[in-house]
């Protein structure tokens, strides 16, 4: 276990917020977690506790007075093949440590010709946080390939395995963010992958982009590696690279609203763009509609906006960026507030942040 005091977290959060924590601990086994939680008066670890993944979905709002924990549990173990399980032919189970970089796992799957996470390529963060957050992109969510999540239970001090059902996954949501918040620390995740072709190309223009690459060669085989490359190219064209410009990806969730709210927005848009215009939307079931937050924010004039060190990304207004690298949490929070208020005033819809505020 590695313990550091008064740790600068600037490089450990993709937003690049310059904040410190009183104590920072890297653990690499369940045994170390058990040792940490055994004695709540152990003064090596000041309270409160916070478990951080790759720091890619966080806004630190101030210095953290307690201990930040980070998993260094790193292994990728593809073992059980279908011949030995009840799964259909060609399926492969792969258990991955919570501290493995999510995109390293995606790259590993592609290299081994395994279908599953290729549409989720390029998402920053780590495997443990992916299971907590139910990350999603291009028509796929982590829950679609998760079979089980192994955790350390801070209440019992023991390991526990949650089935995908136990995790109660929803849109960017899970039991780990809801009723069991703070109880379970993810140590590894079991994924179900496929050796048989299982492309999911229905989102936006993904199919067209993939077919274009297959047509133009040199690689004419539809493979996980090919889809991964197409997805990475789409992401690079639309989203800021956290290594170059600080951000936490989508800052807000796409709001799911009652049909009447959507109709109000639709009327607004028809008044502005003409009667043939239709607001982008997705049926969320039970009379609810999901509207892209990016569209709502763009309508309020924020796309490409800049104020001091922060701004709204010019190619995807769902992303707040640390333009100069010098942004403070206060600047980000002020811009967030202005965006929320303006969308509320114009459309009567309250945007909820996807980014966790700490
Ligand atoms: N749009 C605009 N203006 C823009 C960009 C987008 O109006 O400048 C509208 C368009 O109608 C577009 C729609 O928003 O069709 C959807 O845009 P996009 O495909 O970029 O997806 P998103 O809904 O804005 C979500 C995820 C992203 C993920 C993409 C692709 C959330 C909160 N965000 O964004 O996830 O990469 O879909 O699947 O669900 C993240 O979570 O950090 C993240 C980047």
């Amino acid at each position: 276990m590695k313990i550091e005091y008064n740790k600068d977290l600037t490089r450990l959060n993709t937003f690049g917020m310059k904040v410190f924590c009183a104590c920072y601990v890297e653990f690499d086994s369940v045994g170390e977690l058990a040792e940490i939680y055994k004695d709540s008066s152990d003064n090596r670890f000041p309270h409160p506790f916070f478990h951080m993944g790759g720091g890619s979905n966080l806004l630190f709002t101030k210095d953290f007075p307690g201990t930040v924990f980070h998993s260094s549990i790193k292994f990728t173990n593809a073992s059980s093949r279908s011949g030995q399980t009840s799964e259909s032919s060609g399926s492969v189970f792969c258990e991955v440590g919570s501290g493995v970089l999510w995109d390293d796992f995606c790259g590993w799957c592609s290299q081994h010709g395994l279908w599953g996470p290729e549409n989720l390529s390029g998402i920053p963060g780590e495997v443990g946080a992916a299971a907590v957050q139910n990350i999603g992109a291009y028509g796929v969510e982590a829950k679609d390939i998760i079979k089980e999540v192994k955790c350390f239970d801070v209440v019992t001090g023991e390991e526990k395995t949650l089935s995908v059902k136990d995790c109660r996954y929803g849109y960017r949501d899970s039991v780990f963010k809801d009723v069991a918040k703070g109880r379970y620390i993810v140590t590894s995740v079991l994924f179900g992958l496929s050796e048989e072709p299982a492309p999911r190309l229905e989102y936006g223009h993904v199919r067209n982009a993939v077919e274009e690459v297959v047509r133009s060669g040199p690689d004419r085989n539809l493979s996980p590696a090919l889809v991964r490359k197409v997805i990475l190219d789409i992401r690079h064209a639309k989203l800021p690279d956290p290594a170059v410009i600080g951000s936490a990806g989508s800052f807000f969730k796409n709001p799911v609203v009652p049909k009447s709210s959507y109709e109000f927005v639709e009327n607004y848009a028809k008044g502005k763009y003409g009667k043939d215009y239709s607001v982008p939307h997705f049926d969320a079931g039970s009379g609810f509609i999901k509207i892209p937050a990016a569209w709502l924010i763009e309508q309020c004039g924020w796309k490409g906006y800049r104020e001091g060190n922060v701004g709204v990304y010019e190619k995807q207004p769902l992303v707040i960026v640390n333009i100069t690298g010098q942004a403070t949490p206060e600047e980000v929070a002020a811009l967030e507030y202005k965006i929320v208020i303006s969308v509320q005033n114009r459309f009567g819809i309250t945007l909820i942040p996807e980014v966790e505020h700490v």
Side-chain angles (χ1 to χ4, degrees), residues 106-270:
C106 297
W108 182 91
C109 291
S110 288
Q111 274 168 17
H112 290 80
L114 293 170
W115 294 88
E118 61 283 350
N119 290 33
L120 304 174
S121 291
I123 297 183
E126 294 167 2
V127 165
V132 169
Q133 172 74 357
N134 187 24
I135 56 170
Y138 306 105
V140 176
E141 289 181 306
K143 75 168 172 53
D144 302 336
I145 54 169
I146 289 175
K147 295 286 178 193
E148 287 174 0
V149 179
K150 272 195 193 151
C151 306
F152 175 78
D153 181 341
V154 306
V155 174
T156 63
E158 286 170 5
E159 252 191 302
K160 182 172 167 103
T161 301
L162 277 75
S163 69
V164 67
K165 194 158 168 267
D166 296 335
C167 296
R168 295 202 218 157
Y169 283 121
Y171 169 56
R172 298 295 197 274
D173 201 16
S174 71
V175 75
F176 308 108
K177 296 178 73 178
D178 188 30
V179 286
K181 192 168 166 60
R183 173 154 186 182
Y184 300 119
I185 298 155
V186 177
T187 51
S188 69
V189 182
L190 183 71
F191 295 97
L193 309 169
S194 172
E195 287 173 321
E196 301 298 325
R200 278 145 307 169
L201 309 177
E202 302 318 317
Y203 186 96
H205 64 289
V206 172
R207 179 176 293 280
N208 287 347
V210 165
E211 284 173 356
E212 179 57 32
V213 175
V214 170
R215 240 195 326 273
S216 55
D219 182 0
R220 285 163 186 269
N221 288 328
L222 185 58
S223 63
L226 186 143
V227 176
R228 170 173 163 79
K229 186 185 172 314
V230 168
I231 295 288
L232 289 174
D233 287 347
I234 294 175
R235 288 187 72 92
H236 289 153
K238 273 191 160 185
L239 294 165
D241 177 355
V244 181
I245 182 159
S247 87
S250 300
F251 198 95
F252 301 101
K253 292 189 195 187
N254 288 325
V256 176
V257 301
K259 199 150 184 262
S260 55
S261 300
Y262 160 72
E263 282 163 0
F264 176 85
V265 177
E266 183 78 355
N267 282 338
Y268 164 91
K270 287 196 189 308

Side-chain angles (χ1 to χ4, degrees), residues 56-57 119 123-124 133 135-140 171-172 203-204 235 238-239 248-254 277 279-282 290-296 298-299 303 313-319 354:
S56 59
N57 200 45
N119 290 33
I123 297 183
Q133 172 74 357
I135 56 170
Y138 306 105
V140 176
Y171 169 56
R172 298 295 197 274
Y203 186 96
R235 288 187 72 92
K238 273 191 160 185
L239 294 165
S250 300
F251 198 95
F252 301 101
K253 292 189 195 187
N254 288 325
Y277 187 89
V279 174
H281 65 281
F282 310 90
K290 190 192 266 188
I291 305 180
W295 187 90
L296 297 168
E298 183 172 354
Q299 293 304 311
K303 193 168 176 170
Y313 196 53
E314 69 272 14
K315 295 180 199 153
Q316 170 48 290
L318 198 46
V319 180
E354 180 191 314

